[in-house]
């Protein structure tokens, strides 16, 4: 398919091959726009997501189909799926069904963290990370 | 570095190797949380981003360092950088300096599209895409 059709057309033609079979899917919370996680999707994972309505990925560590929440209960219900200009990246807009999207736990509550992006680069040192929680506490 | 330190620590230790030298960076608009684009970053691109304060990537098509806006003027000024749990994905929170982040143009205005994610998967057919603009027009 030519560039013009990929970019301006109305046919879903994800370019999995361009990225070696796996493309990134960004997961965004429908409630507030928060970016919850980023994982990878192959053709099978996208088909399963569209079929089941629950965010499904290809686990690059376990090399298997991975429906988020299947073990934790933290399912991510699909509301919308956006496709980018060159059809090699996705945004899953979701309604979280559990406590959060991250496999890590908040040390205080013991619950799954809502987002995997809970740390910020310190732009002064450019070497350190600040935990969002600590920033929130300091009121800055 | 062990898993616990990568996930809970305060040292920036991006795991470029795990992803073959390139990790995805999601670009989010600071003004409204809109996801603008997704591109890839290697160690050099991240260093340049931190140094210049402008979103910089590694172009996987041209195989070169790519500061967004250098040719179009559509620079993306960095406000915050989030790092995920296993330190192999980034979120650049930016203030767009131009019309948009996409290399494609809106056919009506001729300007760069604000976001690369201007099409949605039609959840009925699962094969077609809807242009956001058309959805907006129909009022749904």
């Amino acid at each position: 398919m030519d560039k013009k059709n990929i970019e301006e057309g109305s046919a879903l033609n994800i370019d999995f091959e361009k990225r070696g079979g796996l493309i990134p899917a960004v997961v965004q919370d429908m409630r507030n726009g928060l970016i919850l996680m980023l994982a990878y999707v192959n053709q099978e994972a996208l088909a399963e997501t569209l079929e089941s309505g629950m965010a499904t990925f290809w686990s690059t560590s376990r090399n298997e189909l991975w429906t988020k929440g299947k073990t934790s209960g933290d399912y991510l219900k699909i509301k919308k799926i956006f496709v980018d200009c060159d059809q090699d990246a996705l945004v899953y807009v979701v309604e979280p069904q559990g406590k959060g999207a991250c496999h890590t736990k908040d040390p205080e509550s013991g619950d799954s963290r809502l987002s995997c992006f809970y740390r910020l680069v310190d732009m002064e040192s450019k070497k350190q990370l600040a935990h969002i929680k600590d920033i929130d506490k300091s009121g800055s």
Side-chain angles (χ1 to χ4, degrees), chain A residues 7 32 37-38 43 52-53 56 61 63 75 84 92 98 105 108 114 121 130:
Chain A
E7 291 182 352
N32 49 24
M37 59 183 284
L38 183 144
Q43 199 142 27
S52 69
T56 301
S61 55
N63 267 306
Y75 285 98
D84 80 339
Y92 284 177
K105 307 283 182 199
E108 285 176 30
L114 179 57
V121 177

Side-chain angles (χ1 to χ4, degrees), chain A residues 71 101 119-120 140:
Chain A
T71 50
R119 288 173 299 180
L120 278 165
S140 60

Side-chain angles (χ1 to χ4, degrees), chain A residues 1 3 17 24 29 37 42 54 76 78 83 88 96-99 112 114 119 121 125 127 137:
Chain A
M1 185 169 272
K3 197 167 180 284
E17 286 318 301
D29 193 326
M37 59 183 284
N42 60 5
M54 293 293 173
L76 300 168
I78 296 286
V83 177
D88 63 353
Q97 306 293 293
K99 294 284 185 182
S112 303
L114 179 57
R119 288 173 299 180
V121 177
S125 74
K127 288 177 182 171
K137 272 180 192 158

Side-chain angles (χ1 to χ4, degrees), chain A residues 79-131:
Chain A
K79 304 306 280 187
K80 292 177 185 171
I81 299 176
F82 288 93
V83 177
D84 80 339
C85 45
D86 43 3
Q87 300 209 32
D88 63 353
L90 300 174
V91 172
Y92 284 177
V93 178
V94 303
E95 183 177 40
Q97 306 293 293
K99 294 284 185 182
C102 192
H103 76 284
T104 67
K105 307 283 182 199
D106 182 294
E108 285 176 30
S109 68
D111 293 331
S112 303
R113 283 189 174 106
L114 179 57
S115 168
C116 294
F117 295 93
Y118 50 86
R119 288 173 299 180
L120 278 165
V121 177
D122 168 32
M123 302 300 270
E124 297 256 322
S125 74
K126 298 167 186 172
K127 288 177 182 171
Q128 291 300 114
L129 296 173
H131 285 248

Side-chain angles (χ1 to χ4, degrees), chain A residues 16 19-27 37-49 54-68 90 92:
Chain A
F16 288 107
R19 301 289 173 201
L22 287 175
I23 64 163
V26 185
V27 180
M37 59 183 284
L38 183 144
Y40 295 86
V41 169
N42 60 5
Q43 199 142 27
E44 190 186 354
L46 177 58
E48 176 60 23
T49 299
M54 293 293 173
T56 301
F57 310 97
W58 184 259
S59 166
T60 59
S61 55
R62 297 189 306 275
N63 267 306
E64 61 181 26
L65 205 64
W66 163 39
T67 298
K68 177 73 194 167
L90 300 174
Y92 284 177

